[in-house]
Amino acid sequence: MKRRNLLTTVAAAALAAAPLGAMAQPAYPTKPITVIVPFAAGGPTDALARVLTARMGEALGQTMIVENVGGAGGTIGVNKAAKATPDGYTILFTHMGTLAVNIALYKTLPYDSQKDLEPVGLGGTNPMVLVTKKDLPAKDFKEFEAFVKANQKKAQYGMAGIGAASHLGGLMLNSMMKVDVLEIPYKGTGPALNDLVSGQFDYMVDQAVNVLPQINAGTIKALGVSTLKRLPQLPNVPTIDESGLKGYEVTIWNGFFVAKNTPKNVIDTLNKALVTALGDEKVRARLTEQAVELPEPKDATPEALRAQLKASIDKWVPAIKAAGVQPQ
């Protein structure tokens, strides 16, 4: 009897002294997960989030609910996710603009992209297309560039707002062409695209998923793509790089993040569900139709996304400052 009590006491003491990491982690997830998208519903990031999280939810055995928290170039939604309880039940799906580009566009940010968030994995990359109003007198990129340079005082380009993908694409294009044209900010891609179709301004550079329907309908013209390879969806449209503006490459990556101090087992579980979604044939077919470039499993790791974020900061912050853009 005494021996049994002694063994019980020793076992209890050993358990109490064991590090927390050695104890069994609680099951995850046990309830629905909120996915914050820091933009309005209907945009490319929102659409991609909904496709991926529907399949991820199936893999996790829980519903993933997309919550659109727009405003201030995405900073409001990102900050809400960064300040959330780090338990994996509030996660973030956003594009590079909010985490890399906004560092240069805003004097102060309520979050630190690299310190306040933990990467989960890359969700997909959207290529961009240079599109013009239908009656712009340019048949290809070289004629377009000549037209803009000759008409800087009256040429106009539109974009969906400060920090939007179309802002970045146009900013880099104008900077590399060394032109100073009037920019027209809109409250979203929809209004901007409507005005381009009606000829209210001359051109914009926006994500392919947004402009493909209008290009195919013939209501706007496509004069170049932002990737270094032509897009399968637009095989007859040259890249801007091959058309003479060497080095022009702008793509918009989207990724999942969680608040700092989220347990590693939670991040690993979410990443496993993401890889499952990315490998699903139906998901891949649906997103490929929208010109989304999906990563391979080796490129969808938290470590790969961390490196992607750093590379984007290193690229865009100096580029925006060099372009003379004043922080908001």
Side-chain angles (χ1 to χ4, degrees):
M1 188 72 175
K2 290 183 178 180
R3 178 178 174 80
R4 184 180 302 170
N5 289 340
L6 176 62
L7 291 175
T8 302
T9 301
V10 170
L15 181 61
L20 293 178
M23 300 176 65
Q25 295 284 353
Y28 170 86
T30 59
K31 61 182 180 180
I33 299 167
T34 296
V35 183
I36 293 178
V37 173
F39 308 104
T45 299
D46 176 72
L48 179 55
R50 292 177 188 276
V51 173
L52 290 175
T53 56
R55 182 65 182 89
M56 289 172 66
E58 293 176 2
L60 292 168
Q62 288 290 343
T63 302
M64 299 186 78
I65 304 168
V66 174
E67 179 184 353
N68 297 98
V69 184
T75 61
I76 296 175
V78 173
N79 188 50
K80 182 176 181 179
K83 301 300 191 293
T85 302
D87 56 8
Y89 289 101
T90 299
I91 68 177
L92 172 70
F93 188 71
T94 189
H95 72 51
M96 51 167 266
T98 61
L99 303 182
V101 177
N102 280 356
I103 294 174
L105 293 180
Y106 291 86
K107 292 179 180 178
T108 58
L109 287 176
Y111 54 84
D112 185 307
S113 303
Q114 296 177 288
K115 294 181 179 179
D116 296 337
L117 293 164
E118 291 290 342
V120 171
L122 183 67
T125 301
N126 289 321
M128 305 186 75
V129 185
L130 165 63
V131 289
T132 73
K133 62 183 181 182
K134 187 177 180 180
D135 61 354
L136 191 82
K139 299 186 296 295
D140 55 32
F141 179 78
K142 288 186 177 181
E143 291 186 4
F144 163 80
E145 186 176 20
F147 170 83
V148 174
K149 287 184 175 180
N151 294 275
Q152 291 189 54
K153 292 185 178 180
K154 60 181 181 180
Q156 301 176 345
Y157 91 94
M159 46 91 164
I162 301 298
S166 52
H167 181 210
L168 308 182
L171 179 69
M172 185 67 79
L173 181 70
N174 293 336
S175 177
M176 291 183 67
M177 291 195 301
K178 296 181 172 57
V179 296
D180 184 14
V181 300
L182 178 65
E183 66 177 27
I184 304 177
Y186 286 82
K187 293 183 178 180
T189 297
L193 199 51
N194 287 339
D195 273 9
L196 181 63
V197 170
S198 63
Q200 299 303 307
F201 61 89
D202 297 307
Y203 65 98
M204 68 187 296
V205 182
D206 203 8
Q207 297 176 78
V209 62
N210 287 336
V211 297
L212 280 172
Q214 287 74 21
I215 293 171
N216 293 332
T219 58
I220 56 178
K221 295 193 297 186
L223 298 184
V225 298
S226 71
T227 49
L228 297 181
K229 294 182 179 180
R230 296 193 184 194
L231 301 182
Q233 298 80 4
L234 295 170
N236 296 321
V237 179
T239 71
I240 294 174
D241 175 84
E242 74 177 275
S243 297
L245 198 62
K246 293 298 181 181
Y248 182 85
E249 181 185 14
V250 180
T251 56
I252 306 299
W253 58 259
N254 300 268
F256 287 96
F257 294 81
V258 291
K260 183 178 176 61
N261 295 323
T262 298
K264 184 178 183 302
N265 73 300
V266 171
I267 295 175
D268 291 343
T269 299
L270 288 169
N271 179 263
K272 183 177 179 180
L274 171 61
V275 171
T276 297
L278 291 172
D280 187 279
E281 291 185 4
K282 292 183 179 179
V283 170
R284 296 188 73 87
R286 182 174 178 184
L287 294 177
T288 298
E289 288 179 359
Q290 301 174 18
V292 177
E293 298 176 353
L294 297 176
E296 297 300 322
K298 66 180 179 61
D299 298 319
T301 65
E303 294 75 22
L305 182 53
R306 189 185 308 278
Q308 184 85 32
L309 173 57
K310 183 180 184 306
S312 295
I313 292 172
D314 292 345
K315 173 182 178 178
W316 281 100
V317 172
I320 291 172
K321 290 181 178 179
V325 178
Q326 295 299 312
Q328 301 295 304

